[in-house]
Amino acid sequence: MSDATIADVARRAGVSATTVSRFLAGQSVRAADTIRAAVQELDYRPSPVARSLRSGRTRSIALVVPDVTNPFFAAVVKGAEAVARQDDYNLFLYNTDENVDREVSVLADLVGRVDGVILAPTVESDDAPLRAHQAGLPVVFLDREIGGSPMFDAVLVDNAGGSRRAAEHLLDLGHRRIAIVNGTQHSTPGRQRREGFLETLKSRGVEPPEAYHELGDFREEGGYQSVMRLLALEHPPTAIYVTNNLMTIGALRALHDLGVRVPDQVSLVGFDDLQLAALLPPPLTVVDRPMEEQGALAMRLLLGRLQDSQDSTPRRIVLETKLLVRGSTAPPRDPAPIAATGSATPAPRHPFHTSHRRPT
């Protein structure tokens, strides 16, 4: 970068430094062509601080997510950052750790320090985004939203549709003893994925017993403990649907520790593709979505809102999902049906209940 200053540009153009400053701010000035030529000849680049002072903008965007360890949010950051860089914006990442109080504190601190926020709210009942909005901080929701929030832009995914595809796939394979490992029901994906999955099972005459409804926390350990409990049941499921990628990792760890053969003993479907999912033995069947595109679209919505703050019409984008069928799902060896009462019919215990070692 050149060391030229506004004073150097003014001398080269034969005008005052004030005139150059007004030109750089986009105002109409005399000798504009001469100033432009001087800027190019000297390779002058105004500093970010100076530009912020002139425009009243920080050229900074905050991306606030509930869990930075989740590979989904890593992909979102990549997509959002690419768009921000094109418009010369800085992107700052904040982690709320699925903690509402932490989110409230982060949003309060960001008012006046960034131009806008892309937010994945911790819970749907959250009112911190409303307070930020009232304080003049533009907010775009990503992946999650809050109840009764028509004034916010949002980029979401068809969670229910993805879960329907997973349920239909397992049913079509012949599974009837199907369990679900879900995340918190206070969040948009947790609630919608559970509803879409269970409604599809019910429409096909399958109503899993309560013991097949595991509530995790969207964390790896939650997935691990949920699958350990499911496989300890007297009549364990022949298929398990895990509703996010971190819990899927935990589920895979539990299956490994128990020496369970997938899909010979249990079929497994996860939500969100993993970088190594296609390389696992066997490759993992997943509900996939355009993760980087979600981040990029959220950033475009926010930058568009900053450019046209007078447009109050909320923009809501819902992206489609697709089922990637791989080797972790197969017809059950024991397709015993679920009884009409919702309890599993008696069935032989799976062989992994007698040994925690991987079969040789």
Side-chain angles (χ1 to χ4, degrees):
M1 179 183 291
S2 170
D3 293 329
T5 65
I6 282 184
D8 295 329
V9 174
R11 280 193 292 271
R12 176 68 64 92
V15 298
S16 69
T18 300
T19 300
V20 174
S21 181
R22 289 171 54 206
F23 168 82
L24 294 172
Q27 300 179 27
S28 178
V29 298
R30 62 184 178 85
D33 292 340
T34 303
I35 297 172
R36 186 177 297 106
V39 168
Q40 294 174 349
E41 290 170 7
L42 295 173
D43 192 24
Y44 173 71
R45 297 288 186 274
S47 72
V49 173
R51 284 184 295 180
S52 296
L53 290 173
R54 286 195 300 270
S55 66
R57 293 279 179 86
T58 65
R59 307 297 297 182
S60 298
I61 300 295
L63 177 55
V64 183
V65 302
D67 188 353
V68 294
T69 67
N70 189 322
F72 163 69
F73 290 114
V76 162
V77 170
K78 184 176 181 180
E81 197 274 336
V83 175
R85 192 186 326 117
Q86 291 173 0
D87 271 32
D88 200 22
Y89 271 84
N90 296 309
L91 182 64
F92 297 103
L93 179 63
Y94 294 82
N95 178 46
T96 63
D97 203 30
E98 298 281 6
N99 185 293
V100 176
D101 292 336
R102 170 64 178 159
E103 181 184 303
V104 170
S105 175
V106 167
L107 289 178
D109 288 345
L110 289 175
V111 175
R113 299 176 60 184
V114 296
D115 295 336
V117 174
I118 297 173
L119 170 68
T122 301
V123 295
E124 288 186 315
S125 59
D126 199 348
D127 62 356
L130 291 170
R131 294 199 294 271
H133 176 79
Q134 291 165 356
L137 184 63
V139 177
V140 170
F141 288 140
L142 171 80
D143 191 49
R144 308 176 180 190
E145 56 186 343
I146 63 174
S149 56
M151 75 286 291
F152 290 97
D153 298 324
V155 181
L156 309 171
V157 68
D158 183 11
N159 292 295
S163 290
R164 283 194 294 270
R165 292 180 180 89
E168 289 167 352
H169 173 61
L170 293 174
L171 290 166
D172 291 345
L173 286 172
H175 289 278
R176 295 299 180 266
R177 298 211 310 267
I178 304 173
I180 180 173
V181 178
N182 210 348
T184 171
Q185 295 301 287
H186 300 297
S187 72
T188 305
R191 177 179 56 80
Q192 292 179 345
R193 291 172 194 174
R194 178 180 183 274
E195 290 174 354
F197 192 76
L198 294 181
E199 286 172 2
T200 303
L201 295 186
K202 186 175 182 179
S203 71
R204 298 273 291 268
V206 176
E207 295 190 48
E210 193 61 33
Y212 283 10
H213 297 236
E214 275 288 338
L215 184 62
D217 53 5
F218 285 141
R219 303 295 182 93
E220 180 179 338
E221 187 61 23
Y224 180 87
Q225 295 298 338
S226 291
V227 170
M228 294 295 282
R229 286 190 292 269
L230 287 170
L231 298 186
L233 295 172
E234 182 179 1
H235 306 298
T238 62
I240 303 174
Y241 173 49
V242 187
T243 60
N244 96 320
N245 47 17
L246 289 182
M247 292 194 302
T248 300
I249 293 172
L252 289 167
R253 184 160 58 90
L255 294 168
H256 175 271
D257 287 352
L258 291 172
V260 176
R261 296 187 302 275
V262 178
D264 293 345
Q265 294 169 282
V266 174
S267 285
L268 183 67
V269 180
F271 196 106
D272 277 342
D273 204 7
L274 296 165
Q275 189 172 13
L276 298 178
L279 303 178
L280 292 172
L284 186 64
T285 296
V286 296
V287 177
D288 190 28
R289 57 170 158 173
M291 295 181 280
E292 287 187 29
E293 184 180 349
Q294 270 194 269
L297 286 172
M299 182 60 72
R300 291 192 184 102
L301 283 182
L302 182 56
L303 295 181
R305 181 64 66 191
L306 292 174
Q307 294 167 7
D308 187 10
S309 59
Q310 302 304 312
D311 182 6
S312 60
T313 305
R315 292 158 291 187
R316 193 171 186 270
I317 300 173
V318 180
L319 299 175
E320 289 296 319
T321 62
K322 60 183 177 181
L323 185 69
L324 302 180
V325 179
R326 299 182 178 129
S328 67
T329 49
R333 287 187 171 182
D334 175 20
I338 298 293
T341 59
S343 60
T345 56
R349 291 169 64 84
H350 282 281
F352 50 76
H353 282 292
T354 60
S355 174
H356 284 192
R357 295 186 301 173
R358 180 178 294 278
T360 57

